[in-house]
Amino acid sequence: MAPYAMAADLIMARVAGDTAKFHEQLRKAREVLMSPLDTEIAQTPYDVVWQEDRVKLKHYHARREPLLKTPLFIVYAQVNRETMLDLQPGRSVVETFLNAGLDIYMLDWGYPTRKDRFLNLDDHINGYIDGAVDFILETHGLDQLNIMAICQGGTMSVIYAALHPEKVKNLVLTVTPTNFDHDAGLLNVWARSLDPDKLVASYGNIPGDIMNLGFLLLNPARLMIDKYVGFLENIHNKDFVENFVRMERWIFDSPDLPGEAFREFIQWMFRENRLIKNELVIGGKKVDLKNITMPVLNIYGKYDHLVPPAACDQLTSKIGSTDKEDVCLDTGHIGIYVSSKTQRQFGPKIIHWLTERDEAPGPADGETKKSASRKKKAGATAEGE
């Protein structure tokens, strides 16, 4: 029997149950699918305040009197899109932060094209991330900002904090892999067996669809069968259908990965584990984790199949900071940001932690700092872009 036919048979058998019930489900499903559906994601307004090449910096304005003197700069991974942090009203980390009075900047890596093929980790960390940081610091007349980073964006932010500790006031890491020498997740086992040189030589940039297929195959029963069975069983529920489509839109909105940066990440992190061993060199400078002396909050998920606790829980023992905390939540890789349970823990924990480490209100005269090290490229302003 063909594997696809077998999967289809399983789905239909589970959905059908008895014939009468199946027909009633189809009738209700028709009503839902024929009605208007709200499946938009990332609806919170923002301004694009800085841009370099394809990379943009979004500014989300606090919805009340600013709570902190220091703005929060969010660095997402290059795999998938930062829109996951603002999936929908009521399930939005961005919304939680804005309602609390945080001033947020978020990096949008955009969609790499063939001209990005040779951009490496140095270009992304000491180029794009540092450029955005300097823009924010100059705009606010500050010497330091807070960084919150996600997954691979966290790995790059750890490197950034070690290379530029004078610019980072507090560092919040979420589901951030820093130790790659473990077998706790299938992703780690597969990534170590890859030949990144051959992949990049074959594809140039690594297609987002290839990455997505790999992620689905990490748990095919759950992600390729169970999920869609659940969808069919709940297809008469409009809220469920809308939430399902929103998540699918996010999952399959997958940018390609710049080839050289991918090659270095696979080789230096997954295959050689250089970061946690303090052997990584970026831009000609050693990435010394002892240089990370700012407060660090390290949050990860107990049931994360992509970045398991073994990938996250060694970092705080390696850095120079004395103010550091590990938090392991009972959730998975995405649930940490979108589940209703962790929405009540995740955002409030970060807000409280940052508030305890903030200072008095910002500069009274509003003058901008003149000593930023890089000349920023003026960015277009496009609300809601």
Side-chain angles (χ1 to χ4, degrees):
M1 179 181 294
Y4 299 117
M6 184 174 69
D9 289 346
L10 286 172
I11 291 173
M12 295 311 296
R14 180 169 165 184
V15 170
D18 64 70
T19 305
K21 179 183 177 183
F22 183 55
H23 282 289
E24 178 61 15
Q25 284 179 318
L26 289 179
R27 188 188 66 77
K28 291 181 178 178
R30 182 178 183 278
E31 292 178 1
V32 170
L33 294 175
M34 293 298 289
S35 65
L37 295 175
D38 177 10
T39 59
E40 291 298 314
I41 62 175
Q43 299 181 60
T44 304
Y46 60 85
D47 297 326
V48 175
V49 294
W50 174 91
Q51 181 170 356
E52 188 166 335
D53 305 327
R54 72 182 191 282
V55 181
K56 299 175 183 176
L57 183 64
K58 299 177 177 179
H59 183 203
Y60 296 83
H61 300 274
R63 293 176 176 174
R64 46 172 282 189
E65 191 70 19
L67 178 68
L68 306 179
K69 168 189 173 184
T70 313
L72 179 63
F73 175 43
I74 299 177
V75 182
Y76 198 79
Q78 292 182 295
V79 179
N80 291 118
R81 299 268 294 158
E82 76 289 346
T83 48
M84 191 270 293
L85 295 179
D86 187 32
L87 204 59
Q88 69 186 82
R91 295 172 71 196
S92 167
V93 174
V94 168
E95 188 178 61
T96 299
F97 287 168
L98 296 183
N99 289 340
L102 268 61
D103 201 23
I104 300 174
Y105 291 85
M106 185 150 59
L107 205 62
D108 175 355
W109 290 110
Y111 295 87
T113 63
R114 292 176 60 187
K115 68 180 180 181
D116 299 307
R117 152 73 177 81
F118 297 100
L119 294 179
N120 57 21
L121 289 177
D122 180 31
D123 295 317
H124 288 84
I125 295 168
N126 290 316
Y128 296 126
I129 291 179
D130 194 43
V133 166
D134 282 347
F135 175 85
I136 299 168
L137 295 180
E138 184 173 88
T139 299
H140 289 264
L142 296 171
D143 295 321
Q144 295 179 310
L145 48 56
N146 297 324
I147 292 181
M148 170 184 157
I150 293 94
C151 195
Q152 179 208 21
T155 310
M156 291 192 287
S157 295
V158 167
I159 296 169
Y160 182 80
L163 294 175
H164 305 277
E166 74 283 359
K167 298 182 184 181
V168 184
K169 183 177 180 60
N170 299 293
L171 178 62
V172 179
L173 303 171
T174 65
V175 295
T176 292
T178 48
N179 171 42
F180 299 84
D181 185 18
H182 63 83
D183 294 330
L186 192 54
L187 175 63
N188 221 56
V189 175
W190 283 2
R192 286 204 306 265
S193 66
L194 292 177
D195 185 333
D197 294 336
K198 289 183 178 178
L199 281 171
V200 174
S202 300
Y203 288 108
N205 291 335
I206 305 302
D209 289 340
I210 295 288
M211 298 296 297
N212 249 335
L213 178 61
F215 292 136
L216 291 175
L217 291 175
L218 290 173
N219 192 351
R222 168 72 186 89
L223 300 176
M224 298 174 71
I225 299 178
D226 234 30
K227 184 174 70 170
Y228 296 105
V229 171
F231 172 69
L232 291 175
E233 288 180 337
N234 291 278
I235 200 167
H236 57 282
N237 181 330
K238 185 176 180 181
D239 288 340
F240 183 93
V241 170
E242 290 180 341
N243 291 341
F244 184 91
V245 174
R246 287 191 191 99
M247 183 59 77
E248 291 293 285
R249 290 184 63 175
W250 173 76
I251 288 172
F252 292 101
D253 181 12
S254 304
D256 298 344
L257 300 181
E260 183 60 18
F262 171 85
R263 191 192 66 78
E264 291 180 347
F265 200 88
I266 294 295
Q267 185 64 37
W268 296 347
M269 307 301 174
F270 283 100
R271 292 167 66 96
E272 300 177 5
N273 202 26
R274 291 188 187 185
L275 178 59
I276 203 71
K277 294 194 298 187
N278 246 12
E279 296 176 354
L280 183 64
V281 175
I282 296 289
K285 293 184 178 179
K286 179 181 178 182
V287 181
D288 188 347
L289 295 178
K290 291 298 182 185
N291 288 339
I292 299 177
T293 55
M294 72 290 298
V296 173
L297 175 62
N298 185 32
I299 303 176
Y300 47 90
K302 184 176 181 180
Y303 305 110
D304 190 334
H305 71 291
L306 294 175
V307 185
C312 309
D313 59 9
Q314 290 193 23
L315 179 69
T316 51
S317 68
K318 305 290 184 180
I319 61 178
S321 175
T322 56
D323 182 357
K324 50 194 176 183
E325 180 180 357
D326 287 303
V327 176
C328 184
L329 298 176
D330 289 334
T331 186
H333 193 69
I334 302 303
I336 202 169
Y337 306 102
V338 301
S339 76
S340 56
K341 177 184 176 183
T342 53
Q343 282 281 304
R344 293 191 294 270
Q345 298 174 295
F346 180 74
K349 170 63 182 180
I350 293 172
I351 294 166
H352 180 70
W353 188 87
L354 289 173
T355 303
E356 286 186 327
R357 289 158 181 79
D358 199 51
E359 298 175 359
D365 58 7
E367 290 184 359
T368 56
K369 187 176 177 61
K370 304 296 185 184
S371 59
S373 60
R374 286 170 52 89
K375 181 67 175 178
K376 270 64 60 182
K377 181 182 292 185
T381 298
E383 185 171 348
E385 180 175 333

